[in-house]
Amino acid sequence: MPKPEIHPKWYPDAKVICNGEVVMTIGSTQPELNVDVWSGNHPFFTGTQKILDTEGRVDRFMKKYGMGSANSATSKEQKEKKDSKK
C-alpha cells in the first residue's frame, strides 16, 4: 500500500499556455505550464523546417555512403576501384 501524503497534488486538467493562449490541457503536478514552443508552432511539426548545411555535412555524408542521385556515378566508380584492389 502506498504511503499517504507523500505524493504531489495531481491536476488532471492542467493548462498548457504558449504566448498567452491556452493551447491544450494535460495532467500534471502543476496547475499551469508556460511553454515557448509546442507542436502547433514548432517548425518540425508545421512543415517549415529548413535544413541548414553550411559546412557540407549532408553532401559529405551522402558521398561517404554512396547515397543520392548527384553522387551516385562517383560512388559507383569508387566502389569499382575498391573492388578491383581486393
Side-chain angles (χ1 to χ4, degrees), residues 5 12 16 24 38 58:
E5 299 186 24
V16 178
M24 67 177 78
W38 66 291
V58 173

Side-chain angles (χ1 to χ4, degrees), residues 62 66-78:
M62 298 296 245
M67 299 175 167
S69 60
N71 297 328
S72 62
T74 308
S75 64
K76 287 179 184 177
E77 292 173 3
Q78 290 174 352

Side-chain angles (χ1 to χ4, degrees), residues 24-86:
M24 67 177 78
T25 58
I26 60 170
S28 177
T29 58
Q30 298 177 352
E32 289 185 354
L33 300 166
N34 291 306
V35 297
D36 295 326
V37 179
W38 66 291
S39 61
N41 67 357
H42 192 278
F44 178 78
F45 295 105
T46 59
T48 59
Q49 181 179 20
K50 296 179 183 175
I51 297 175
L52 298 176
D53 184 26
T54 57
E55 297 178 9
R57 292 181 180 157
V58 173
D59 292 333
R60 194 168 63 226
F61 176 84
M62 298 296 245
K63 186 176 180 181
K64 181 177 179 180
Y65 292 104
M67 299 175 167
S69 60
N71 297 328
S72 62
T74 308
S75 64
K76 287 179 184 177
E77 292 173 3
Q78 290 174 352
K79 287 180 184 178
E80 290 175 1
K81 287 180 184 179
K82 288 180 183 178
D83 290 339
S84 65
K85 289 181 182 179
K86 288 182 180 178

